[in-house]
Amino acid sequence: MKGVDDLREAILNCEGHLLVTGGPGAGKTTVALYKALKCIADGRLQGGQRVLFLSFARATVARIVEAARRELSRDALRLIDIDTYHGFAWRLIRSHSYLTNGQQPKLLPPADIAALFADVPEELHAEELERLWLEEGLIGFDLFPVEAERILRECRRLGQVYSSKFPIIIIDEFQDTSAEQYAMIRALSTNSQIIALADPDQRIYDFAGADPKRIGEFIEVYHPQIVDLSGRNHRSGGTDIAQFGNDVLTGANRGQTYNHVKVKCFALGKGRASPEFALKAEVISAMKRLISNGDPWSLAILVPTQAMMLSTAKYLSSDSDGLPTISHQVHVDQEGPCLAAAIIAGLLERGTPQELFERLLGQLRTHVRGRKGRRSNPSQADLGFAVSISDLTQVAEIKKKDQRLTVEACARVANACAGLALTGAPEEDWRQVIELLRAEGEPRISKVADDARYIRLLRRGSVLRERLNELWRQFGDYRGARTAVEIALAQLHLSNNTEEVRGIHVMTLHKSKGKEYDEVILFEGAYQGRYIFGTTETDIARARLVLRVGVTRARSRSTILTPNGNLRCILL
């Protein structure tokens, strides 16, 4: 505890509710962990009691777990539950939903919800989610905090038990909580001390229910002691990254020079004068800097949109520009890859050509409806295809040329898979199926192969890989592969990945929230994929928040790429 300043001492000694504010890297998480350690050391936890630490994304939780391992002893770690909102709510629902719903819950993954709701008006989504849960026992992520709150509120004794179990609850990224998540926290904390960690200037999830009034509501209800850690910077200490992040909120960055944030303008030509070439050259320069340090390193490439992320990843994988290919990970939305994984598993399960054909058509229908997620509707052509094949007995009557070509391609894939010589090595057999899909060249089938590139379920030691190996040893084939994929995907959605971040990662600016990298490169397009969406003051204010989040993911250096001339971003 040596070296802790007065503000942190105030946090450590506070016995009531707390609101700790501060910018990126201010040390909110670390001081909260020290607060938990002090409570443990002071004997505040009795038998069976634990400190609960909740955050949003799995990556954020992984960072908190890493910090906890660094700061706390093993004995102290055993007394802290660190989880996502979804992970905690799922544990509660899985154990106690019989009290309110009377049935065992079955997870409805985001990809399946996207497929189900592809042609359902958005205003009916909540009602349909509720119906699926109450009538069929299928529950989606959006309903997790709602049902968890319902259980805690309606089963008062159980709510008291949980509140007693967690006398201290730490809430990370509090500014991003939705109304439903906040209601769950209130139901959970009837007798608990709440420590809310917040940065109002990192609230970039308004579209997901975050409300600028949330912090005010917390102050009004809980009357917390407020401690402001603004001005402190531990993530990128010794740099002016945090200063740039704060300056961009007010426009004070314009005309200023920073040592660790570089704004570079690129040309709008072709070949070696193209924006993509400029990005790749910048990535190679960053790699040389990072590698020269001799330590493990990480670099993030952040772009405004999903489409730009995919095109950037494709360019980095090519050497047609005379520069080497660059190995990287792409953080795509998982709906398309998850539905593609289900298709591949269905083709691995074997069967007659007709059985595989019907299975493939049914799963392809789900894929075209849900691969874009709930933020983007499928095309009318894809919706029409999905309707046409909804009744397999009528498939032979399909007249539209594009639909007919897809059906014929499915028949060829089914025939090829029925005669495929499987090896018993899951990675190799998985790859064989993908190559069959890719070789068809038919657009809807090709999209399945494209999406499958972003599924990493077969890494060494993974649940799916081990299960597929077990199926082969038991049966000499992959019967049960679809169930194995379903289980693996459920774990993917709900587990907390604690692997250290290494290498190059390509993602959208929004997906970078809560993550940390040694260096960050922000890249916008010339006409599409701009930092600013729209022209209103609200659009510009939102872009300032997002740009600040992206830049401050870096520990040592951020580079911002923007077009030159009149297309240069107005925030820079």
Side-chain angles (χ1 to χ4, degrees):
M1 312 291 270
K2 189 176 180 180
V4 177
D5 62 21
D6 292 341
L7 283 177
R8 295 194 174 194
E9 282 291 351
I11 294 171
L12 296 178
N13 294 327
C14 177
E15 296 186 0
H17 301 299
L18 259 171
L19 172 62
V20 183
T21 61
K28 300 184 295 295
T29 299
T30 301
V31 77
L33 290 171
Y34 274 126
K35 174 68 174 175
L37 178 60
K38 186 174 188 299
C39 293
I40 293 168
D42 290 348
R44 281 189 57 186
L45 300 185
Q46 301 175 4
Q49 290 186 323
R50 301 171 70 86
V51 175
L52 179 63
F53 201 127
L54 293 178
S55 192
F56 281 87
R58 296 191 305 274
T60 309
V61 168
R63 180 173 55 81
I64 295 167
V65 169
E66 184 180 348
R69 288 173 176 166
R70 193 168 55 243
E71 304 288 347
L72 309 181
S73 69
R74 288 188 178 182
D75 289 340
L77 273 174
R78 294 190 188 100
L79 296 176
I80 301 180
D81 270 0
I82 303 174
D83 209 343
T84 62
Y85 286 94
H86 284 141
F88 177 80
W90 175 245
R91 282 193 285 156
L92 196 153
I93 292 165
R94 190 173 54 187
S95 299
H96 304 294
S97 65
Y98 68 90
L99 296 170
T100 55
N101 195 17
Q103 54 187 321
Q104 185 67 25
K106 181 176 171 55
L107 177 65
L108 192 58
D112 292 337
I113 292 177
L116 284 170
F117 288 3
D119 49 4
V120 176
E122 188 172 350
E123 60 270 20
L124 300 179
H125 286 190
E127 180 182 335
E128 179 61 10
L129 273 175
E130 185 82 4
R131 186 198 67 77
L132 287 168
W133 168 232
L134 295 177
E135 296 181 10
E136 302 181 35
L138 298 170
I139 186 164
F141 278 15
D142 288 358
L143 213 58
F144 276 20
V146 175
E147 182 58 21
E149 187 273 339
R150 180 184 295 156
I151 292 170
L152 294 167
R153 174 171 43 82
E154 293 184 1
C155 309
R156 293 186 178 179
R157 185 168 296 179
L158 181 66
Q160 291 170 355
V161 168
Y162 268 87
S163 186
S164 297
K165 180 179 180 179
F166 301 113
I168 303 160
I169 301 175
I170 302 170
I171 309 164
D172 193 30
E173 307 281 9
F174 180 73
Q175 75 280 349
D176 283 331
T177 51
S178 66
E180 294 78 13
Q181 289 162 339
Y182 183 46
M184 180 185 80
I185 291 165
R186 292 188 63 178
L188 178 64
S189 61
T190 52
N191 297 304
S192 307
Q193 178 187 12
I194 301 295
I195 303 172
L197 314 179
D199 179 1
D201 293 327
Q202 285 198 75
R203 198 194 74 254
I204 63 173
Y205 285 113
D206 290 19
F207 61 84
D211 190 328
K213 298 177 182 177
R214 188 78 62 235
I215 293 175
E217 291 173 351
F218 180 76
I219 293 171
E220 184 177 344
V221 171
Y222 288 94
H223 308 290
Q225 179 176 335
I226 302 173
V227 178
D228 185 6
L229 298 180
S230 296
R232 287 155 176 76
N233 177 19
H234 300 278
R235 175 183 302 156
S236 54
T239 76
D240 50 14
I241 293 173
Q243 184 61 54
F244 177 92
N246 293 333
D247 288 348
V248 82
L249 294 178
T250 63
N253 62 298
R254 298 199 65 183
Q256 298 297 316
T257 300
Y258 298 82
N259 294 321
H260 305 94
V261 180
K262 303 298 181 183
V263 177
K264 297 187 177 182
C265 296
F266 53 77
L268 301 178
K270 297 182 179 180
R272 288 178 170 258
S274 69
E276 293 79 11
F277 187 90
L279 169 66
K280 198 171 186 182
E282 192 63 44
V283 171
I284 291 172
S285 294
M287 291 171 63
K288 289 178 179 177
R289 275 193 304 272
L290 292 165
I291 291 170
S292 68
N293 292 331
D295 297 321
W297 56 272
S298 59
L299 169 68
I301 302 169
L302 309 181
V303 298
T305 66
Q306 177 102 346
M308 191 172 176
M309 177 186 66
L310 295 175
S311 63
T312 298
K314 184 178 180 181
Y315 187 86
L316 293 176
S317 299
S318 170
D319 61 1
S320 61
D321 55 6
L323 296 176
T325 61
I326 295 177
S327 177
H328 59 276
Q329 293 187 38
V330 187
H331 294 241
V332 300
D333 290 339
Q334 285 297 298
E335 285 86 350
C338 288
L339 294 173
I343 289 175
I344 295 167
L347 293 172
L348 282 175
E349 274 202 11
R350 292 294 204 183
T352 66
Q354 183 61 28
E355 288 170 339
L356 290 178
F357 171 66
E358 293 180 1
R359 188 183 302 159
L360 175 56
L361 271 184
Q363 291 177 313
L364 185 61
R365 178 177 184 271
T366 302
H367 182 264
V368 300
R369 285 174 60 89
R371 69 179 296 266
K372 293 184 178 180
R374 290 171 65 187
R375 293 188 200 171
S376 181
N377 294 326
S379 67
Q380 288 302 311
D382 279 344
L383 279 177
F385 169 75
V387 170
S388 296
I389 63 170
S390 58
D391 184 352
L392 293 178
T393 63
Q394 301 298 315
V395 166
E397 306 301 320
I398 291 176
K399 302 298 183 185
K400 285 192 174 182
K401 183 179 179 180
D402 71 301
Q403 297 177 6
R404 188 74 238 163
L405 290 174
T406 302
V407 170
E408 291 170 355
C410 286
R412 289 192 296 271
V413 169
N415 283 326
C417 285
L420 200 60
L422 298 176
T423 67
E427 307 98 309
E428 177 59 29
D429 294 335
W430 192 274
R431 190 161 41 247
Q432 283 195 78
V433 174
I434 292 176
E435 289 307 317
L436 282 175
L437 294 168
R438 182 172 287 114
E440 265 306 317
E442 194 282 327
R444 293 188 179 100
I445 299 291
S446 293
K447 286 174 183 175
V448 176
D450 290 342
D451 286 344
R453 290 181 300 171
Y454 302 110
I455 274 286
R456 295 183 177 87
L457 294 176
L458 292 174
R459 289 178 294 185
R460 190 172 300 278
S462 69
V463 173
L464 179 58
R465 175 176 168 153
E466 294 305 318
R467 180 56 182 153
L468 292 177
N469 276 325
E470 182 183 330
L471 292 174
W472 188 270
R473 287 193 298 269
Q474 185 176 357
F475 303 114
D477 57 35
Y478 293 115
R479 69 187 72 174
R482 283 173 291 172
T483 300
V485 164
E486 184 179 311
I487 293 171
L489 290 176
Q491 293 190 355
L492 175 69
H493 289 307
L494 295 168
S495 66
N496 298 324
N497 178 13
T498 59
E499 294 180 0
E500 285 190 283
V501 176
R502 293 289 180 258
I504 297 174
H505 297 257
V506 184
M507 70 192 75
T508 62
L509 283 157
H510 278 84
K511 276 193 178 293
S512 72
K513 183 87 182 325
K515 300 179 175 69
E516 293 181 11
Y517 301 89
D518 292 312
E519 287 200 25
V520 165
I521 298 173
L522 287 74
F523 178 51
E524 72 170 339
Y527 302 101
Q528 302 290 327
R530 301 305 306 268
Y531 295 135
I532 301 176
F533 293 89
T535 57
T536 68
E537 287 299 319
T538 299
D539 295 326
I540 294 171
R542 185 178 294 117
R544 292 185 188 278
L545 293 175
V546 175
L547 193 63
R548 176 179 184 259
V549 166
V551 167
T552 56
R553 299 309 91 200
R555 299 186 187 98
S556 62
R557 177 180 170 125
S558 286
T559 303
I560 306 174
L561 301 181
T562 185
N564 61 14
N566 293 333
L567 290 174
R568 178 182 170 123
C569 178
I570 62 172
L571 302 182
L572 305 171

